[in-house]
Amino acid sequence: MLIDEIKDVEIILASRSPRRKALLKGLGLDYKTLDNDSELQEVYPDTLTPGQVPVFLAQLKAKHFADKIQKNTLLITADTIVVCDDRIIGKPSGRDHAIEILGFLSGKKHEVYTGVCLSSATLQTSFLATTHVYFRKLTEEEIIYYIDKYKPFDKAGAYGIQEWIGFAGVEKIEGSYFNVMGLPVEQLYLELEKFVARIKER
């Protein structure tokens, strides 16, 4: 079982996201956090496909924190993006931008991609999780209500599925619910099992 196998490994989650912290805690793992990544410029080549972008950024974050990786350390970095009509949608710059984003997503299907990178002193692996999210047609009043009450300015796509809009506005999803929150913990658990086994083989 992973919880037993990983006891002698120090897990570090490099993220400022309270949702990622809560999700990783839900796996029953002990970990430390690093969130001093404000100086990191999340820039990616424009030749990448949308699905490649979050993996690239997760690897970029791992490189940024490389000096924190010690012999028995396992670093987890992640990045989540929203894609609709082949357009990458990041975090809103403010209230008006958030309203514009949700208006664009309203009544459509979009994809949530999360790239995760696992790094140790000797190994690194990455994976991508994809979830399809279907919004019903939202009214302007509903969008404004949600934005003003929940202020989702730190969230890609300007919404949190665990909040009011997820209950009232999402018709269905295909894939991991937790991925939409920012960390595909089901897949992460399995990847951690394989990664820890590879570390112990060395």
Side-chain angles (χ1 to χ4, degrees):
M1 186 174 177
L2 177 62
I3 293 174
D4 296 323
E5 292 294 323
I6 210 167
K7 281 181 179 178
D8 56 348
V9 178
E10 181 185 53
I11 301 173
I12 298 177
L13 174 67
S15 177
R16 287 178 289 177
S17 167
R19 293 164 298 281
R20 287 198 183 114
K21 294 174 184 178
L23 288 171
L24 188 58
K25 185 178 180 181
L27 287 180
L29 304 176
D30 294 325
Y31 66 92
K32 295 181 179 180
T33 59
L34 294 172
D35 57 11
N36 56 333
D37 59 349
S38 57
E39 297 179 0
L40 178 62
Q41 297 296 314
E42 296 187 10
V43 179
Y44 54 86
D46 57 11
T47 54
L48 298 181
T49 65
Q52 292 172 325
V53 169
V55 172
F56 177 89
L57 293 176
Q59 293 170 345
L60 187 67
K61 292 176 182 179
K63 186 176 180 180
H64 180 74
F65 289 108
D67 62 331
K68 305 297 182 182
I69 302 174
Q70 305 300 320
K71 183 179 179 181
N72 293 316
T73 301
L74 194 162
L75 177 71
I76 302 173
T77 52
D79 192 85
T80 300
I81 63 170
V82 169
V83 177
C84 186
D85 294 343
D86 293 322
R87 170 179 158 191
I88 295 177
I89 302 168
K91 299 174 184 177
S93 57
R95 180 179 183 270
D96 290 345
H97 189 206
I99 292 172
E100 177 188 336
I101 288 172
L102 283 184
F104 178 67
L105 296 178
S106 174
K108 297 179 180 178
K109 179 188 82 167
H110 65 269
E111 287 72 46
V112 178
Y113 295 113
T114 299
V116 180
C117 183
L118 307 178
S119 306
S120 72
T122 58
L123 293 170
Q124 185 176 89
T125 190
S126 303
F127 66 90
L128 177 72
T130 306
T131 303
H132 303 278
V133 181
Y134 296 76
F135 266 127
R136 67 168 174 81
K137 189 68 176 177
L138 302 167
T139 67
E140 183 178 359
E141 290 78 12
E142 288 171 330
I143 291 172
I144 291 173
Y145 167 80
Y146 172 71
I147 296 298
D148 287 346
K149 184 173 179 64
Y150 291 90
K151 298 178 172 52
F153 307 128
D154 64 334
K155 299 176 177 68
Y159 78 94
I161 197 169
Q162 73 278 13
E163 297 172 340
W164 177 84
I165 201 164
F167 290 89
V170 174
E171 292 181 334
K172 66 176 181 177
I173 69 168
E174 297 168 352
S176 167
Y177 172 85
F178 296 115
N179 181 46
V180 187
M181 290 178 64
L183 197 63
V185 284
E186 311 95 331
Q187 190 172 349
L188 175 60
Y189 185 89
L190 298 176
E191 294 292 340
L192 281 171
E193 282 190 322
K194 292 186 288 186
F195 194 72
V196 170
R198 288 175 64 196
I199 291 174
K200 296 199 170 187
E201 286 174 358
R202 290 183 169 240

